[in-house]
Amino acid sequence: MKLYNTMTRRKEEFVPLVPGEVKMYSCGPTVYNYFHIGNARPFIIFDILRNYLEYKGYKVTFVQNFTDVDDKIIKRAKEEGITEKEVADKYIEEYFKDAEGLGIRRADYHPRVTELISDIINVVKKIQDNGFAYEVDGDVYFDTTKYREYGKLSKQNLEELEAGARVEVGEHKKHPMDFALWKKQKPGEPAWESPWGMGRPGWHIECSAMSMKYLGETIDIHSGGQDLIFPHHENEIAQSEAATGKPFARYWMHNGFININNEKMSKSLGNFFTVRDISKMYDLEVVRLFMISSHYRSPINFSKDLLDSTKNSLERLYIAKNNLLHLLENAKDRDETEEEKALREKLMTHKDKFIEAMDDDLNTADAVSAIFDLVRDINSNINENSPKTLIQFAYDLYMELAGVLRIVTKKEESLDDEIEKLIEERQKARKEKNWALADKIRDDLKSRGIILEDTPQGVKWRRA
Ligand SMILES: Nc1ncnc2c1ncn2[C@@H]1O[C@H](COP(=O)(O)OP(=O)(O)OP(=O)(O)O)[C@@H](O)[C@H]1O
Ligand SMILES: [Zn+2]
């Protein structure tokens, strides 16, 4: 498999450090809000990378952190009159709800900064002992001038960076690009004891410490959004390599942005849709399919129109799945003809295409196309006259590929049951002359592509 490595700026053959095992770390959310569609992109993409590596037979250990102490969380807690822990607990719980809706599995470890303070302090001490950090009145800074390779990920050199840098008032660092490993407590802020007095970790150090704790000093893949290349990942590399003297991560992967009107979707610009808001209008599986229909490094311009067309595409995938299930129920047991055997071969070519695409730097866009091509061939070649073995083969192949991307995962029964239940509710509302509720249920179903028809035999439904 080839992966694009930001460190070398080219696609490289992926070779894990230990054969058969992959250790990967992805920078997780700062938990002071619901996460938005832009944030969802790395969560979905790197979860798919993990699935795919497992599909290929690797044993994967995956870590994604929660930043649960930082300026934004402290601000949020003050605004709401609650503790930082309460803010973080709430949004971690909400993260898991939305992530589940998006089909994202839990990582093997989801460490939180506040639970690893002593590990973080130990890494800061190591960096200081190795001569790469200095203390000024309770703050500890990383000395960028001591780390010769500073800038190697973002391809910038220290002199140029220093020329453009600004030192904020109140900072006591020796060089403009030095950054905080440990921050002295300010009044009213959460703080922990340390060799440098009461304080809290800087942002970058948490990922170095967590990655080392759960995955070891050198890991295979480190990932996040493109905005993290500098300074976050550059600083993670400097800290980690200063602490251990070993390479920190072998492959650096970065996803492109979700934009709105060609501008990055971000909390600070206010141009974002939270996953939670979108979940009120769309099944989140639509968002997942939308996200993986582009290559992860390409920018995506987000629009509701795109979501609508993705919704229709997903519906087509479900119809094909349900057709196969219905065909299976009544299928004949008979031997396959030569032509039917040849069809198997033809269907398998789509699997080859799928794998070729995924092996080429996780090209989910082409992988999704391969699934649609497969579905097209299934629809036009498999019918009620097909033998059971062939229908089962087509169904298994389809579900195998969809399963790697974790799409088309819902069972038909559960969908049908839910619709029947809503129809009953609507009948009850009509009996009670609650026309508003009855209309609302009909319209909600319509927006999901389910059309109700009142017939003399009762209410019937069909897919639009
Ligand atoms: N518009 C976007 N498109 C793709 N990825 C994004 C986008 N915005 C943030 N990310 C990624 O989301 C992940 C979670 O980051 P985090 O919770 O720190 O969000 P953030 O950077 O604070 O968001 P914002 O930029 O909206 O303030 C990071 O990997 C980050 O690179
Ligand atoms: Zn990080």
Side-chain angles (χ1 to χ4, degrees):
M1 177 180 201
K2 284 201 158 59
L3 294 175
Y4 182 88
N5 189 348
T6 308
M7 185 63 88
T8 56
R9 298 289 198 264
R10 52 186 173 80
K11 285 186 200 170
E12 289 175 18
E13 193 58 38
F14 175 67
V15 185
L17 197 58
V18 176
E21 290 181 20
V22 180
K23 303 207 180 310
M24 48 187 280
Y25 184 99
S26 202
C27 297
T30 307
V31 280
Y32 67 102
N33 204 340
Y34 294 100
F35 66 93
H36 60 64
I37 298 286
N39 304 137
R41 192 173 195 187
F43 305 153
I44 292 173
I45 288 299
F46 299 117
D47 177 57
I48 286 185
L49 175 62
R50 171 199 193 191
N51 288 343
Y52 186 62
L53 289 167
E54 285 179 352
Y55 174 74
K56 287 179 85 76
Y58 291 106
K59 181 184 173 298
V60 181
T61 313
F62 182 48
V63 179
Q64 186 185 290
N65 66 307
F66 286 116
T67 301
D68 66 346
V69 59
D70 101 329
D71 293 346
K72 294 176 219 167
I73 296 174
I74 294 171
K75 184 165 169 263
R76 185 76 188 227
K78 289 223 170 78
E79 282 164 7
E80 297 198 7
I82 55 179
T83 63
E84 288 80 13
K85 183 169 183 329
E86 284 167 325
V87 172
D89 284 348
K90 174 176 159 68
Y91 289 110
I92 287 175
E93 206 183 310
E94 303 298 348
Y95 166 87
F96 282 125
K97 283 186 202 157
D98 289 337
E100 199 185 312
L102 289 166
I104 299 166
R105 281 154 66 200
R106 292 203 176 211
D108 296 296
Y109 301 96
H110 278 286
R112 302 168 58 151
V113 180
T114 55
E115 287 168 356
L116 270 99
I117 298 287
S118 64
D119 297 276
I120 295 174
I121 289 175
N122 283 337
V123 179
V124 177
K125 273 203 278 194
K126 257 197 200 165
I127 298 172
Q128 197 180 14
D129 291 348
N130 291 350
F132 291 91
Y134 56 91
E135 184 202 340
V136 185
D137 185 29
D139 287 321
V140 182
Y141 291 101
F142 186 89
D143 187 338
T144 45
T145 63
K146 294 270 164 62
Y147 180 70
R148 292 258 210 73
E149 295 177 58
Y150 193 80
K152 68 178 171 182
L153 181 69
S154 57
K155 312 291 172 221
Q156 307 179 83
N157 75 47
L158 192 56
E159 290 77 48
E160 277 166 25
L161 283 168
E162 282 181 340
R166 244 188 24 197
V167 180
E168 302 285 328
V169 189
E171 284 187 316
H172 307 290
K173 52 195 188 183
K174 292 187 194 163
H175 318 99
M177 292 314 293
D178 294 355
F179 55 90
L181 298 173
W182 186 261
K183 297 174 164 181
K184 183 184 175 170
Q185 182 181 26
K186 294 197 187 112
E189 284 189 359
W192 290 264
E193 274 190 48
S194 81
W196 317 281
M198 295 295 286
R200 64 181 164 103
W203 170 34
H204 316 293
I205 193 71
E206 67 184 77
C207 291
S208 294
M210 288 170 177
S211 181
M212 277 179 219
K213 180 176 171 88
Y214 293 101
L215 302 172
E217 293 181 339
T218 302
I219 69 166
D220 295 298
I221 303 171
H222 195 114
S223 58
Q226 268 167 7
D227 53 335
L228 299 187
I229 296 174
F230 187 84
H232 185 54
H233 288 162
E234 197 71 74
N235 291 354
E236 279 188 37
I237 293 170
Q239 297 161 160
S240 307
E241 300 191 353
T244 68
K246 300 193 180 122
F248 179 44
R250 292 153 49 84
Y251 299 85
W252 287 88
M253 292 178 70
H254 295 98
N255 63 272
F257 293 143
I258 303 281
N259 295 325
I260 288 218
N261 298 328
N262 299 312
E263 219 173 7
K264 181 194 171 212
M265 184 183 288
S266 86
K267 284 170 233 160
S268 51
L269 291 172
N271 61 348
F272 62 91
F273 291 96
T274 63
V275 170
R276 186 58 57 90
D277 284 341
I278 294 288
S279 75
K280 290 172 191 147
M281 294 175 266
Y282 298 88
D283 186 314
L284 288 180
E285 204 177 8
V286 174
V287 176
R288 186 176 179 93
L289 180 58
F290 162 78
M291 209 66 89
I292 63 179
S293 297
S294 305
H295 187 269
Y296 74 92
R297 285 191 286 120
S298 313
I300 303 181
N301 224 356
F302 178 82
S303 76
K304 292 239 174 87
D305 286 350
L306 274 177
L307 274 192
D308 284 334
S309 72
T310 309
K311 186 177 160 192
N312 293 335
S313 305
L314 186 61
E315 188 74 19
R316 284 217 305 284
L317 293 180
Y318 269 107
I319 288 170
K321 175 182 178 181
N322 293 339
N323 279 345
L324 287 172
L325 285 171
H326 287 305
L327 289 176
L328 267 179
E329 274 169 24
N330 308 307
K332 300 182 192 65
D333 279 316
R334 66 162 169 81
D335 289 341
E336 290 174 22
T337 63
E338 285 310 308
E339 211 178 306
E340 284 162 347
K341 283 183 189 145
L343 180 62
R344 282 180 178 241
E345 304 278 307
K346 186 170 181 211
L347 296 184
M348 282 300 277
T349 61
H350 300 301
K351 175 170 169 174
D352 297 341
K353 287 258 168 58
F354 178 93
I355 290 185
E356 201 183 300
M358 294 293 278
D359 277 350
D360 182 14
D361 189 28
L362 206 72
N363 191 337
T364 54
D366 286 359
V368 166
S369 298
I371 291 184
F372 275 100
D373 291 345
L374 170 69
V375 163
R376 199 196 50 226
D377 273 348
I378 289 176
N379 286 343
S380 51
N381 289 291
I382 293 193
N383 54 44
E384 57 279 5
N385 299 317
S386 306
K388 192 167 191 170
T389 49
L390 182 64
I391 304 172
Q392 189 71 52
F393 173 81
Y395 178 79
D396 290 345
L397 178 61
Y398 176 22
M399 287 303 109
E400 177 183 328
L401 303 189
V404 174
L405 302 178
R406 286 178 55 106
I407 52 172
V408 207
T409 52
K410 295 198 181 57
K411 292 211 172 62
E412 188 196 18
E413 295 78 39
S414 64
L415 201 69
D416 287 6
D417 285 353
E418 195 194 327
I419 293 166
E420 299 291 351
K421 235 174 61 205
L422 284 168
I423 292 176
E424 259 173 49
E425 257 177 57
R426 176 167 170 266
Q427 290 303 85
K428 195 163 149 263
R430 287 170 56 147
K431 258 202 208 114
E432 292 163 0
K433 302 209 187 313
N434 186 349
W435 308 116
L437 179 62
D439 286 351
K440 185 177 177 316
I441 293 174
R442 191 195 55 215
D443 292 347
D444 286 353
L445 283 169
K446 190 168 168 215
S447 73
R448 292 168 55 184
I450 307 295
I451 306 292
L452 298 189
E453 279 159 357
D454 295 305
T455 73
Q457 289 82 37
V459 183
K460 296 238 163 85
W461 66 270
R462 62 179 172 83
R463 289 180 213 282

